[in-house]
Amino acid sequence: MTTDTSAAAATVSSDDPRALTLANVERALDELRPYLLADGGNVEVVEIDGPIVKVRLQGACGSCPSSTMTLKMGIERKLREAIPEVAEVIQVL
């Protein structure tokens, strides 16, 4: 009798709300979006490259002088709390 543990592990990890997946990143960002939208901006996930999440700030957030603070102290902080595997959030243009 053999058991395919890799398939079972993949099923468990894909359902884990703290796993680094696009769906989980979007879910965490959805909690921040009302604040960004209120200031005329938004955030888009461009790519997940290992533990690095690459995002694009849109609208007013893309050109705001405080965009670095928004990225690091808002977006990165929230993602790292929600998904411990996230090492860094980088803005791409």
Side-chain angles (χ1 to χ4, degrees):
M1 176 182 211
T2 60
T3 305
D4 185 3
T5 56
S6 61
T11 302
V12 170
S13 65
S14 66
D15 293 336
D16 182 0
R18 296 175 57 85
L20 181 52
T21 64
L22 180 58
N24 289 342
V25 169
E26 288 289 351
R27 179 185 44 77
L29 291 176
D30 283 344
E31 294 179 27
L32 295 175
R33 281 197 171 98
Y35 304 104
L36 297 172
L37 291 168
D39 287 333
N42 203 351
V43 63
E44 168 192 16
V45 178
V46 175
E47 179 183 11
I48 298 175
D49 184 12
I52 298 171
V53 179
K54 297 179 181 179
V55 299
R56 181 175 296 119
L57 295 176
Q58 301 173 325
C61 289
S63 60
C64 176
S66 299
S67 64
T68 301
M69 185 70 78
T70 299
L71 182 71
K72 293 296 178 182
M73 297 304 293
I75 296 170
E76 183 175 274
R77 184 172 162 191
K78 176 64 178 172
L79 287 178
R80 291 178 83 178
E81 285 175 8
I83 307 167
E85 190 179 340
V86 173
E88 186 176 13
V89 176
I90 297 174
Q91 180 179 357
V92 297
L93 302 174

